[in-house]
Amino acid sequence: MVGSSHEALHRIFQKDPALLTRALQSVLHVPFPEPHEIAALNVDLTEIEPVERRVDTLLRAETDEGTYLLVVESQGKVDDRKRGSWPYYLSYLYEKYRCEPVLIVITQSSATARWASRPIRLGFPGWDSLTVRPLVLGPDNVPVITSERQAERDVPLAVLSAMTHGRGPQAPAILESLASALRTIDPDSAAVFVQFVDSCLADPQAKQMWRDLMTAIQYFWRHPLAEQVREEGREQGLEQGRAEAKAEMILHILEWRGIPVPDAVRDRVSACTELDQLEVWAQRAVHAKDAAELFAED
């Protein structure tokens, strides 16, 4: 059964097709020609016979060097059945469209990335009838974006970074920088990216931290994920609700990073109602080695 994380990992390229070619060029260092047009195609590869085969995302890229089909597969774990289905996809698509197909696999698992990157060779040793060499995007090559400025320069790539690296010690800084960058783009696109990241965060603490961060962004109060928080905010007042959400976020960041939070720190953060002050503490919480460092420069 296809999960929401699986869907988000490939649908981000439907939302921003140009991100895929940027990833090929800057992350995998593949000299893919710059497309001047990219269009989404039907992902259904089912033939007349009752055998259903479906790719995750299929894009057609028009470049000065020719037309390419970008076949994106979201892969959660090792699945040796792909040794048969991936060559089939590429052969079928070439026969149908007469365009060169390019297979890109995206995964959140380093082990799965290593498995997927191995060439698929069909034939006898020394003479391959068909060789498939997937291009793989995963935790080992997708950049870790923890800088707000870098996230603002390329928000879709920052989203991909959060989706790929949404666990581990760097997750708080990644999510914090992305949350700030989302304020710089249109709310509708930001809301879609919010869903993608939320779907891919398997770590419960990282997911809670992300939702805490999102409640502090004004546009997010229109988003379905914040419905409960929004209702509470209406009762208590938006300003108070945002301050409480920001305070909870700060404490969640510290706890998620394994930093003990004394009662005095918890009480001071929870009692604060100034959003500007809470924002300063939130930024310090991402890098602090001790809870008391939140107030070191106040």
Side-chain angles (χ1 to χ4, degrees), residues 9 12-13 19 23 27 106-108 137-139 141-147 150-151 154-167 170-171 173-175 177-178 197 200-201:
L9 276 174
I12 186 176
F13 298 117
L19 171 63
V27 177
I106 180 167
T107 180
Q108 295 173 298
L137 294 168
N141 54 21
V142 172
V144 176
I145 298 179
T146 58
S147 161
Q150 187 180 2
D154 194 338
V155 174
L157 185 59
V159 173
L160 184 62
S161 176
M163 293 164 63
T164 309
H165 301 285
R167 62 181 67 186
Q170 293 177 304
I174 293 172
L175 297 178
S177 64
L178 175 57
V197 175
C200 286
L201 293 175

Side-chain angles (χ1 to χ4, degrees), residues 130-156:
L130 176 65
T131 302
V132 175
R133 298 175 60 198
L135 296 167
V136 182
L137 294 168
D140 297 327
N141 54 21
V142 172
V144 176
I145 298 179
T146 58
S147 161
E148 290 183 18
R149 183 172 299 177
Q150 187 180 2
E152 290 174 3
R153 282 199 300 266
D154 194 338
V155 174

Side-chain angles (χ1 to χ4, degrees), residues 13-14 17 20 38-41 57-61 68-70 72:
F13 298 117
Q14 297 177 13
L20 186 56
I38 301 180
L41 300 178
T57 287
L58 180 61
L59 304 171
R60 182 181 62 225
Y68 296 90
L69 299 176
L70 305 179
V72 184

Side-chain angles (χ1 to χ4, degrees), residues 75 77-85 115 118 120:
Q75 194 66 29
K77 60 183 179 180
V78 173
D79 184 356
D80 286 329
R81 292 175 299 177
K82 298 297 184 179
R83 286 182 53 83
S85 58
W115 163 81
R118 294 200 298 264
I120 300 172

Side-chain angles (χ1 to χ4, degrees), residues 102-261:
V102 180
L103 175 62
I104 301 103
V105 178
I106 180 167
T107 180
Q108 295 173 298
S109 164
S110 295
T112 302
R114 289 192 294 271
W115 163 81
S117 63
R118 294 200 298 264
I120 300 172
R121 296 186 171 92
L122 304 180
F124 61 86
W127 192 273
D128 300 336
S129 299
L130 176 65
T131 302
V132 175
R133 298 175 60 198
L135 296 167
V136 182
L137 294 168
D140 297 327
N141 54 21
V142 172
V144 176
I145 298 179
T146 58
S147 161
E148 290 183 18
R149 183 172 299 177
Q150 187 180 2
E152 290 174 3
R153 282 199 300 266
D154 194 338
V155 174
L157 185 59
V159 173
L160 184 62
S161 176
M163 293 164 63
T164 309
H165 301 285
R167 62 181 67 186
Q170 293 177 304
I174 293 172
L175 297 178
E176 176 77 19
S177 64
L178 175 57
S180 296
L182 287 175
R183 297 186 177 97
T184 66
I185 64 175
D186 68 277
D188 290 336
S189 294
V192 174
F193 288 144
V194 166
Q195 283 188 304
F196 285 159
V197 175
D198 190 84
S199 297
C200 286
L201 293 175
D203 187 304
Q205 290 180 313
K207 186 184 288 284
Q208 183 60 52
M209 175 187 169
W210 178 243
R211 293 184 176 183
D212 290 343
L213 283 167
M214 290 302 95
T215 58
I217 300 178
Q218 185 173 1
Y219 78 81
F220 187 64
W221 288 76
R222 300 186 296 108
H223 195 277
L225 288 175
E227 185 65 33
Q228 181 179 353
V229 179
R230 181 169 61 212
E231 292 301 325
E232 294 173 357
R234 285 173 180 164
E235 295 175 1
Q236 302 172 1
L238 285 178
E239 198 71 15
Q240 179 183 351
R242 289 174 189 166
E244 292 178 355
K246 178 69 76 172
E248 290 179 6
M249 178 199 73
I250 294 168
L251 299 174
H252 276 305
I253 292 174
L254 293 173
E255 291 169 353
W256 191 88
R257 295 181 60 223
I259 297 176
V261 182

